[in-house]
Amino acid sequence: MMKKYVLPTEGILLDSEEKAKNICHLFDSFYYEYFSPFFEKWNNLNVLYEFIKDKNEVEELESILGIFWQFKKAAILRLCNDENYQEYIEALVKRFELIFERRSESIDVRRYYNAAKELKEVLDKTEPVYNV
């Protein structure tokens, strides 16, 4: 879908009103056919929450939330006042703690473990935004 909206960056010479109209039409098409519907669908955190709340597969969550998806899911659960937040965040911290115990020499493992603990501390003090 996106490919048809990619404009060439070289070789465009707007030397006529007709060419300028064509470029404006491409931008309008992008806005009304892609940009606007995307933001209408994903207009608040509740929509994302409903989409991910029951997903547990690593590949699926990573493709939706990207890297550090575990931390993002924890934040979404907390902000949406999910009843499973506490269980999720405690399991997340425990998982990184176990990895840290086995590979304490790894700087990256230490960082993930510390980030998980810090995130839990911050989120536990954060009031939910949505009450689902």
Side-chain angles (χ1 to χ4, degrees):
M1 180 184 222
M2 285 285 292
K3 278 228 181 267
K4 74 178 189 177
Y5 297 114
V6 174
L7 298 175
T9 57
E10 294 180 27
I12 296 178
L13 178 62
L14 295 177
D15 59 356
S16 71
E17 187 176 334
E18 187 62 33
K19 286 182 182 178
K21 285 180 183 178
N22 287 340
I23 295 295
C24 289
H25 176 71
L26 287 174
F27 282 110
D28 282 349
S29 294
F30 175 79
Y31 179 81
Y32 290 109
E33 293 175 26
Y34 178 75
F35 184 79
S36 183
F38 177 86
F39 284 99
E40 285 174 18
K41 179 179 179 180
W42 300 102
N43 63 359
N44 69 56
L45 194 58
N46 275 328
V47 177
L48 181 57
Y49 167 76
E50 290 296 328
F51 190 68
I52 68 156
K53 70 179 181 180
D54 298 322
K55 294 186 182 344
N56 294 311
E57 295 295 320
V58 172
E59 295 82 16
E60 194 171 25
L61 284 164
E62 189 171 43
S63 71
I64 296 166
L65 299 175
I67 62 170
F68 309 119
W69 64 267
Q70 305 95 325
F71 300 113
K72 294 172 187 175
K73 183 175 180 180
I76 292 166
L77 292 178
R78 178 62 180 154
L79 292 172
C80 290
N81 203 23
D82 186 281
E83 62 185 19
N84 298 312
Y85 159 75
Q86 200 62 45
E87 180 183 330
Y88 179 85
I89 194 70
E90 287 173 5
L92 180 66
V93 171
K94 186 68 174 169
R95 191 170 338 133
F96 282 113
E97 181 180 19
L98 292 172
I99 295 169
F100 178 68
E101 287 173 359
R102 286 183 271 155
R103 298 189 53 218
S104 60
E105 73 286 347
S106 170
I107 293 171
D108 287 337
V109 169
R110 180 183 310 268
R111 286 179 181 153
Y112 278 107
Y113 175 52
N114 288 334
K117 288 191 312 184
E118 187 175 334
L119 179 64
K120 181 183 182 323
E121 185 179 313
V122 169
L123 289 177
D124 285 349
K125 295 176 186 174
T126 301
E127 290 297 319
V129 175
Y130 300 98
N131 207 5
V132 292

